[in-house]
Amino acid sequence: MARGTLRIYLGAAPGVGKTYAMLSEAHRRVERGTDCVVAFVEHHHRPRTEVMLHGLEQLPRREIEYRGGSFTEMDVDAVLRRAPKVALVDELAHTNMPGSRNTKRWQDVEELLAAGIDVISTVNIQHLESLGDVVESITGVRQRETVPDEVVRRADQIELVDMSPQALRRRMAHGNIYKPDKVDAALSNYFRPGNLTALRELALLWVADRVDAHLTEYRSEHHVSAIWGSRERIVVGLTGGPEGRTLIRRAARLAEKGAGGEVMAVYISRSDGLTAVSPKELALQRTLVEDLGGTFHQVVGDDIPAALLDFARGANATQIVLGVSRRRSWQYVFGPGVGATVARESGPDLDVHLITHAEVGKGRGLPVARGARLGRSRVISGWLAGVLGPLLLTWLLKGVVPDIGLANHMLLFLTLTVAAALLGGLLPALASAVVGSTLLNWFFTPPVHTLTVADPQNIVAIVVFVGVAVAVASVVDLAARRTHQAARLRAESEILSFLAGNVLRGETGLEDLLERVRETFGMESVALLERAGEKDPWTCAGSVGPRPATTPDAADVDVPVGDHMALSLCGRVLPAADRRVLAAFAAQAAVVVDRRRLKGEADRAEELAEGNRIRTALLAAVSHDLRTPLAGIKAAVTSLRSDDVEWSEEDQAELLEAIEEGADRLDHLVGNLLDMSRLQTGTVTPIIRETDLDEVVPMALGAVPEDSVDLDVPESLPMVGVDRGLLERSVANIVENAVKYSPPGERVLVSASAMADRVEIRVVDRGPGVPDEVKDRIFEPFQRYGDAPRGDGVGLGLAVARGFAEAIGGTLHAEDTPGGGLTMVLAVRTAPGRRRERPDVSPAVTS
């Protein structure tokens, strides 16, 4: 069955019209004859949205009972049974009530898509998981209902429902979003113009990034090479020299001048892909560009201007930033340089900026590790110097320069031979020796214009010339080869050292490592393939780049790693000399995969061990702590039902009191067990609202004797943003624990005070106290410090208290009481104005 398609209406804030747009689309599809139903739509009593539901088939919702209330959620089973073509599901980031089929609504949507049902949904930008911190810093509200970015990115269509902040505030003022009594609070808090403008910018940038990804994919699929200047992309050409940091900062300033500008720094290495500059300097420049929000790339190419332009056009760049050449003035005789060549060949759609810097004209200096083979331009220059050079020298010596003697002629021709060897290697030098000796014989050795040599001494001179030329050329070529080999080995050692360091530190992720392989060797894609056995199919453990190989046979380069793993590269065939470094990369990739697999197994083993520990502790608790009150209740009931004894009213009252006490103890123990279960499964969903502590704390003292607690909670304390029920349960457990360990006649003090942006509740007892080394351990489940009597709890009270405290954004820790005892400090955040008043903003903010 084909997977359904997902269309999402994305909004910058509640009330922009996402649900209205979704319902409008549903009406259009129904008019075209599409089978479209409303699986779940929340209209929030907005009249215009409610009217749009008319004429659409609405599926029944599932009712869930929770904490004495009745709630409705989407009935996934009903939608699957109905099997429509299109289902409307509002509020993609919504958290379902405990007892629902899935924890989050986007998981319900995944089930519908897997069943082949197309889904249309809505979500606000503040509910994207990656933007939670940014939205909280803007609005002051932490969104607890989030959806993973990848879920939204995978949508087949994303449509932005946009509205200016002024228009949205007018819509709010007209009562089209909230009820009139909520409007003023909303406009002065969450819906301030600055908040709405920032949220709108987030939404626009997020959608622009999504559009940019689609554009890149389209250009790649359709092989579009022309630059489409849809946004400013600035490519910085790096040489690995000290001027690179200046260029990166200048490019970042250029990018800031245009909204959505992007900086891409690129270093071009020679054809073998090994670094020819200082790795330390490149690492510094990589870090700098990433700190400034750009990306670093390394590509391969012998023709640097062509490679740079190819990269820029492939990335759809609009500008290139280069530094003015560091070459000295006399060095320009060898060519115009990279900057001038790039500017000449860039074309009208690509701007080139040449940036001055402190290193201009100071010379390049010696390369750090020259690992490149002789390029085509050097070989051509060697042949020109070896063949045309002697001809030009002959013309100068015959027509311009006076006769300087045969010995000087030979030295000049020998100089050309050495130059040919330096430029093009051995073959151009040998050609120069042959051509030079022939020209010497023909033009300068008597008798001239013949290949005959009259004087035997001249024959010896020519032979010596040829021998010296060949020897010098051989030595120069051998030195160049040895230099090349040494530089290559040095570069290889640097890479291997990098890999060894990563192995020891465990830093590199698989995708990062594969991306480094792809950039280092200039490949199109790299994939790590593995299989369980010889006859099992290959599976991809990780890949980078487009169209990675699915089997080793389909790759251009295949490096086996053991019997059941292979590193496969697509793009070009690599020389045998590169396979040594590539094998090191492959071994490191295998280590990363094994480490990731072992870490997963260790995490699962730790979870199983923790589960076993909790189950063992629970069984121990159930075997005694739960059976003790049950035994008391059973004994009291049996006594009351006995016909052999005539119980007095006082005895009956005492037995009934024992039954009530045992039932209360059971209720408390079971309640703590259920609360701990909710905390461990992540089903605690706090409802944050403004609360007065003097209303909540007294209610938490109902389970302890009245004369056992002194209460000091001033009415002047600021309001706090908490879940009232969770705070009450947390305080109740702390106080019960303090009363349990307090000496007879000693009262527990419960006080509260304001501290900066929080309020601290202190529960002070005069009990035996707790050593510092076990203060954290007493908050773990099933921990009972000291010789606490059996049947007096299962050791969950403080664990539940801390879990609930953290769920409402607070903290709980233990301190020593001066003079002896233990003080529990529960800190919760104050409510900043009205921004956390959930009844006002909850329906819209979570829509």
Side-chain angles (χ1 to χ4, degrees):
M1 178 183 297
R3 180 180 172 86
T5 60
L6 176 60
R7 177 171 184 165
I8 294 178
Y9 286 94
L10 177 68
V16 296
K18 305 180 302 300
T19 305
Y20 191 93
M22 178 179 67
L23 294 173
S24 299
E25 175 64 20
H27 279 287
R28 286 192 292 270
R29 298 199 182 196
V30 170
E31 290 173 0
R32 295 196 299 265
T34 304
D35 182 17
C36 184
V37 301
V38 176
F40 188 97
V41 168
E42 186 62 69
H43 52 72
H44 298 297
H45 304 291
R46 297 169 186 166
R48 298 187 178 182
T49 305
E50 199 169 356
V51 169
M52 292 296 294
L53 287 169
H54 297 167
L56 297 176
E57 178 185 351
Q58 301 184 50
L59 297 182
R61 301 183 182 183
R62 181 186 177 191
E63 293 190 2
I64 298 176
E65 300 293 332
Y66 180 67
R67 283 192 172 183
S70 181
F71 304 89
T72 61
E73 296 287 1
M74 181 176 69
D75 193 337
V76 180
D77 292 325
V79 181
L80 294 175
R81 286 193 301 270
R82 173 64 173 78
K85 174 62 178 173
V86 180
L88 306 185
V89 182
D90 206 3
E91 300 179 357
L92 186 65
H94 172 74
T95 300
N96 295 328
M97 294 300 300
S100 300
R101 182 189 186 102
N102 295 302
T103 304
K104 306 289 286 188
R105 184 163 292 164
W106 64 263
Q107 296 170 327
D108 296 337
V109 169
E110 287 293 323
E111 285 197 42
L112 302 183
L113 295 173
I117 300 174
D118 297 343
V119 176
I120 304 178
S121 188
T122 64
V123 72
N124 278 334
I125 191 66
Q126 67 262 30
H127 294 297
L128 295 181
E129 202 166 71
S130 65
L131 300 179
D133 295 339
V134 179
V135 172
E136 184 179 16
S137 66
I138 295 171
T139 65
V141 177
R142 180 65 178 182
Q143 300 298 330
R144 300 192 179 276
E145 292 190 327
T146 60
V147 58
D149 289 44
E150 185 59 27
V151 173
V152 182
R153 288 185 180 276
R154 285 201 307 262
D156 300 275
Q157 297 181 59
I158 297 178
E159 183 170 334
L160 178 66
V161 182
D162 189 30
M163 177 175 287
S164 68
Q166 294 77 14
L168 183 56
R169 285 172 57 84
R170 284 197 301 271
R171 178 180 287 184
M172 171 73 73
H174 294 159
N176 294 331
I177 302 177
Y178 291 162
K179 294 180 180 179
D181 59 335
K182 313 283 188 184
V183 170
D184 291 339
L187 288 176
S188 60
N189 290 281
Y190 192 88
F191 286 82
R192 295 197 302 269
N195 287 359
L196 298 178
T197 302
L199 292 174
R200 187 188 188 198
E201 182 181 22
L202 279 179
L204 291 170
L205 290 176
W206 196 91
V207 173
D209 182 67
R210 163 84 179 188
V211 172
D212 184 61
H214 277 298
L215 178 61
T216 302
E217 183 179 352
Y218 177 87
R219 286 168 52 86
S220 176
E221 291 177 352
H222 292 79
H223 306 290
V224 178
S225 58
I227 293 176
W228 293 352
S230 54
R231 62 186 292 192
E232 290 294 336
R233 288 185 179 85
I234 303 174
V235 170
V236 184
L238 301 178
T239 64
E243 77 281 359
R245 282 171 270 180
T246 301
L247 303 184
I248 292 171
R249 294 188 180 96
R250 181 59 184 274
R253 293 196 294 271
L254 289 174
E256 290 175 356
K257 295 180 180 180
E262 180 181 359
V263 176
M264 295 176 287
V266 57
Y267 170 72
I268 301 173
S269 60
R270 297 289 179 175
S271 58
D272 59 6
L274 298 176
T275 305
V277 296
S278 169
K280 181 178 179 180
E281 180 63 30
L282 274 184
L284 292 175
Q285 294 177 12
R286 177 193 289 267
T287 302
L288 176 61
V289 71
E290 291 174 351
D291 290 343
L292 294 175
T295 56
F296 182 90
H297 306 268
Q298 183 172 338
V299 299
V300 177
D302 288 326
D303 190 341
I304 293 179
L308 185 61
L309 289 171
D310 288 343
F311 176 86
R313 294 190 175 102
N316 201 29
T318 56
Q319 302 180 54
I320 295 179
V321 172
L322 297 173
V324 175
S325 178
R326 286 182 283 132
R327 294 190 299 178
R328 301 186 188 279
S329 57
W330 62 267
Q331 291 178 304
Y332 282 95
V333 300
F334 299 108
V338 174
T341 304
V342 170
R344 183 181 69 247
E345 299 179 0
S346 61
D349 53 356
L350 191 57
D351 298 333
V352 179
H353 301 268
L354 291 179
I355 308 300
T356 58
H357 50 84
E359 303 298 322
V360 173
K362 293 185 178 180
R364 292 184 177 273
L366 295 175
V368 174
R370 180 60 183 245
R373 299 181 180 89
L374 296 177
R376 178 180 300 177
S377 59
R378 282 194 56 178
V379 173
I380 294 175
S381 300
W383 281 103
L384 292 176
V387 177
L388 297 183
L391 297 176
L392 179 61
L393 179 60
T394 300
W395 176 78
L396 290 174
L397 293 176
K398 294 296 291 183
V400 178
V401 180
D403 188 15
I404 57 177
L406 181 61
N408 291 325
H409 293 161
M410 288 185 177
L411 290 176
L412 292 175
F413 278 98
L414 183 60
T415 301
L416 284 178
T417 302
V418 173
L422 292 174
L423 290 174
L426 181 60
L427 291 180
L430 294 178
S432 177
V434 173
V435 173
S437 61
T438 303
L439 294 176
L440 278 172
N441 191 352
W442 184 270
F443 289 102
F444 303 103
T445 305
V448 297
H449 301 146
T450 67
L451 295 179
T452 303
V453 179
D455 189 348
Q457 293 182 353
N458 292 336
I459 296 177
V460 174
I462 293 176
V463 171
V464 170
F465 164 76
V466 173
V468 170
V470 172
V472 170
S474 300
V475 171
V476 170
D477 181 72
L478 181 61
R481 291 179 182 275
R482 291 292 183 265
T483 302
H484 167 73
Q485 292 173 0
R488 181 182 181 87
L489 290 174
R490 176 178 176 178
E492 288 182 2
S493 65
E494 290 171 352
I495 292 177
L496 295 175
S497 175
F498 165 80
L499 290 177
N502 284 341
V503 170
L504 296 176
R505 294 187 299 269
E507 294 178 349
T508 303
L510 181 60
E511 284 71 23
D512 295 335
L513 182 65
L514 297 181
E515 180 63 28
R516 185 175 179 88
V517 174
R518 190 177 72 88
E519 290 185 351
T520 299
F521 294 97
M523 307 302 287
E524 293 181 1
S525 63
V526 180
L528 183 65
L529 306 177
E530 61 178 348
R531 61 181 177 181
E534 294 292 339
K535 297 183 179 179
D536 294 314
W538 290 95
T539 59
C540 182
S543 65
V544 294
R547 297 178 296 278
T550 56
T551 63
D553 295 337
D556 295 314
V557 180
D558 168 33
V559 180
V561 187
D563 296 331
H564 306 298
M565 192 175 293
L567 185 66
S568 301
L569 297 81
C570 296
R572 64 190 179 95
V573 178
L574 294 177
D578 290 337
R579 295 185 68 88
R580 178 172 53 183
V581 177
L582 190 57
F585 274 112
Q588 169 69 347
V591 169
V592 171
V593 172
D594 290 340
R595 185 188 298 121
R596 185 170 62 182
R597 185 179 294 114
L598 291 174
K599 185 178 183 303
E601 293 177 356
D603 292 341
R604 288 192 295 271
E606 185 176 351
E607 292 175 1
L608 291 174
E610 178 66 15
N612 288 333
R613 189 185 68 82
I614 292 177
R615 280 193 292 271
T616 302
L618 178 60
L619 289 174
V622 170
S623 65
H624 189 285
D625 294 312
L626 294 183
R627 291 180 63 183
T628 299
L630 281 175
I633 294 173
K634 176 66 174 176
V637 171
T638 302
S639 299
L640 287 173
R641 296 189 61 186
S642 175
D643 296 332
D644 300 335
V645 181
E646 186 69 27
W647 300 104
S648 65
E649 292 184 1
E650 292 79 4
D651 293 334
Q652 290 180 6
E654 185 177 349
L655 291 172
L656 289 174
E657 184 180 355
I659 293 174
E660 183 178 10
E661 181 182 348
D664 289 341
R665 183 179 297 175
L666 275 178
D667 179 69
H668 180 73
L669 295 176
V670 172
N672 276 338
L673 287 171
L674 293 176
D675 289 338
M676 180 54 60
S677 175
R678 292 171 55 211
L679 287 170
Q680 290 181 340
T681 56
T683 56
V684 176
T685 306
I687 301 176
I688 306 298
R689 64 184 66 186
E690 287 185 351
T691 303
D692 284 317
L693 285 182
D694 58 353
E695 297 178 359
V696 176
V697 176
M699 298 177 62
L701 309 181
V704 297
E706 294 183 2
D707 59 348
S708 62
V709 176
D710 288 333
L711 186 62
D712 181 16
V713 180
E715 295 182 358
S716 59
L717 289 175
M719 301 183 75
V720 294
V722 297
D723 183 297
R724 299 185 184 187
L726 297 183
L727 178 61
E728 180 183 337
R729 293 295 300 276
S730 183
V731 174
N733 281 353
I734 298 171
V735 173
E736 289 175 18
N737 184 79
V739 171
K740 181 193 308 181
Y741 287 96
S742 293
E746 289 285 349
R747 289 173 175 263
V748 172
L749 174 61
V750 179
S751 63
S753 59
M755 301 287 291
D757 60 345
R758 69 186 189 279
V759 174
E760 291 186 349
I761 304 171
R762 292 179 171 265
V763 180
V764 183
D765 68 57
R766 293 294 178 177
V770 175
D772 291 338
E773 60 269 16
V774 297
K775 279 189 170 65
D776 284 334
R777 199 161 66 242
I778 62 176
F779 293 103
E780 297 178 3
F782 305 106
Q783 294 295 318
R784 294 149 51 89
Y785 175 68
D787 56 351
R790 301 294 297 176
D792 211 24
V794 294
L796 287 177
L798 293 181
V800 170
R802 172 173 275 189
F804 283 167
E806 293 175 349
I808 60 177
T811 60
L812 175 62
H813 67 277
E815 298 177 354
D816 291 328
T817 301
L822 191 68
T823 299
M824 292 290 178
V825 182
L826 173 60
V828 294
R829 292 178 294 184
T830 58
R834 293 274 179 182
R835 286 185 294 179
R836 295 188 183 274
E837 189 167 346
R838 296 289 293 229
D840 288 346
V841 300
S842 174
V845 173
T846 58
S847 65

